[in-house]
Amino acid sequence: MGDRMSDLPFKSMDEVKSFAAEMKSQLDAEGYRALLFLLGLLDNQGVSRVVEIDGKSIEIDCYIAPIVEELNRRGFKTLSCCSGLDEEHENVDYKSDVGYISFVFDVKLYDYLQNKLGNSYVVKQSEAYLTPSIYVEVSGINDTEKKKKWVKLWETLRLFDSV
């Protein structure tokens, strides 16, 4: 992963939140929403439901909420996610064409996902909320294809037992 984390201007998410708060008075409403989006602080804009993860109430896109809940119960540490489904993001300003899920980086999980998912998914080392992570992208030409890939990813993760 290199030393990318130490090069960041922020050392904690509290610093990121403070920066956003300082910038609020200098931006119009749309500019501030764009900044929150870029910093990963914009509230979930899709069709979601609240789930409890590590004692915190978090909004997760409805389709993947059961997946994220189960993974966290099993010891996977998820950091961020988006279903990428058009049906859950019809009326949002900032929309991704792909779904994704990020986990706290674990070399065994990373190697497992790279070996089991092949090139039908993007699996890469990344950062999420200033934390080294594994990013898994779920893409498809439509919601039906993306849902099939979410199911395959979930089934693949169910077989991983080293968390």
Side-chain angles (χ1 to χ4, degrees):
M1 297 247 332
D3 205 21
R4 292 171 57 194
M5 297 299 289
S6 63
D7 293 338
L8 293 172
F10 303 110
K11 301 298 181 199
S12 71
M13 285 307 293
D14 287 336
E15 287 183 17
V16 174
K17 291 174 186 174
S18 292
F19 172 76
E22 291 170 17
M23 295 301 297
K24 186 174 185 176
S25 64
Q26 299 175 42
L27 300 168
D28 63 16
E30 182 54 35
Y32 182 63
R33 283 179 49 79
L35 177 67
L36 293 178
F37 172 74
L38 292 170
L39 295 174
L41 299 175
L42 187 63
D43 291 333
N44 188 321
Q45 302 296 297
V47 178
S48 61
R49 71 178 176 93
V50 176
V51 299
E52 290 290 319
I53 297 176
D54 292 334
K56 296 178 187 169
S57 297
I58 301 172
E59 284 189 49
I60 306 287
D61 293 346
C62 286
Y63 185 78
I64 62 172
I67 298 170
V68 174
E69 283 180 303
E70 179 184 312
L71 291 172
N72 280 277
R73 266 195 312 273
R74 289 196 46 228
F76 290 86
K77 299 293 182 192
T78 58
L79 296 168
S80 64
C81 59
C82 175
S83 71
L85 300 176
D86 292 334
E87 67 190 45
E88 292 187 338
H89 298 90
E90 289 181 293
N91 300 311
V92 299
D93 296 329
Y94 303 101
K95 181 178 172 183
S96 175
D97 291 332
V98 299
Y100 65 87
I101 188 164
S102 293
F103 303 94
V104 170
F105 187 81
D106 174 273
V107 70
K108 288 180 185 176
L109 177 60
Y110 177 71
D111 290 343
Y112 173 79
L113 290 171
Q114 287 221 310
N115 290 326
K116 293 293 182 184
L117 297 177
N119 57 6
S120 60
Y121 294 78
V122 172
V123 178
K124 64 182 181 179
Q125 296 180 31
S126 188
E127 290 98 20
Y129 301 113
L130 304 179
T131 302
S133 68
I134 301 166
Y135 168 89
V136 181
E137 184 175 286
V138 178
S139 60
I141 58 171
N142 56 39
D143 283 358
T144 301
E145 193 173 301
K146 289 176 194 172
K147 286 178 180 181
K148 287 178 184 176
K149 288 181 85 173
W150 274 113
V151 169
K152 180 183 177 192
L153 175 59
W154 193 0
E155 290 169 351
T156 301
L157 288 165
R158 283 180 169 158
L159 298 174
F160 183 75
D161 61 353
S162 297
V163 222

